[in-house]
Amino acid sequence: MPASSEKTGPGARGEEIAVLSIPGRLEYLPFADALLVGVAASLGMGDDEKDAFSISILEAGTNAIQHGSKYDESKKIVFSFIVEDGSLSVLVKDEGPGFELDKVLLESKPDDWTRPRGRGIFIMKSLMGTVDFAFGKDRGTTVLLSQPRPSGHS
């Protein structure tokens, strides 16, 4: 589904097919995963591709809730599912203060599996083709997760 040249905003990369907004609480994350399962099925994704998205979306959502909203139910976490040419991208946006990506990446050591925290970005980058971060002018972080479709898929 090609994007219209006039389209702007989060869906500019393609057609925004679903948006889910949840309060900043971990117990609502399964709703994002359930929506992903439905979108993945509609795109004919295989289990490996679906699982990579699922893990990455849950990691991004957990980070948004823990670090962005700091468990504040009044702050929303928004998941936008976008399809372009049969490929899926997911935007995960929070209303938090943002963070210093370079500092987090320096502190995250993929080899240190004993650490109880700090591996989410590494995990997302390991599973997804693209993991990009955008930081709002005043507040909010948006994570873009996307994966090119394997050849032979529409």
Side-chain angles (χ1 to χ4, degrees), residues 4-152:
S4 165
S5 61
E6 296 176 21
K7 195 168 188 178
T8 60
R13 293 176 44 93
E15 179 184 349
E16 189 172 68
I17 61 168
V19 177
L20 173 68
S21 177
I22 63 170
R25 299 287 305 263
L26 292 173
E27 60 262 38
Y28 293 103
L29 278 177
F31 292 112
D33 192 47
L35 182 55
L36 168 71
V37 169
V39 171
S42 73
L43 294 174
M45 280 187 188
D47 287 343
D48 289 345
E49 189 179 7
K50 177 186 62 71
D51 291 346
F53 260 107
S54 179
I55 291 166
S56 298
I57 286 170
L58 293 174
E59 284 291 341
T62 298
N63 286 347
I65 290 167
Q66 290 178 340
H67 306 294
S69 75
K70 300 197 183 312
Y71 302 98
D72 181 346
E73 286 186 53
S74 70
K75 293 182 178 175
K76 302 299 180 201
I77 312 302
V78 178
F79 298 82
S80 299
F81 294 76
I82 301 160
V83 175
E84 180 178 29
D85 297 328
S87 292
L88 177 64
S89 295
V90 180
L91 295 171
V92 182
K93 182 171 180 22
D94 68 50
E95 298 176 348
F99 62 96
E100 294 180 43
L101 181 60
D102 291 338
K103 181 179 177 186
V104 171
L105 292 176
L106 278 175
E107 293 173 358
S108 297
K109 296 183 177 117
D111 298 337
D112 189 359
W113 290 103
T114 61
R115 290 181 60 193
R117 306 177 68 98
R119 293 181 306 276
I121 293 173
F122 171 76
I123 290 168
M124 288 184 280
K125 286 183 174 275
S126 296
L127 295 172
M128 295 280 93
T130 301
V131 178
D132 285 329
F133 292 85
F135 302 95
K137 185 175 182 182
D138 295 321
R139 61 193 261 199
T141 300
T142 301
V143 181
L144 167 66
L145 303 166
S146 63
Q147 184 75 13
R149 294 301 306 270
S151 59

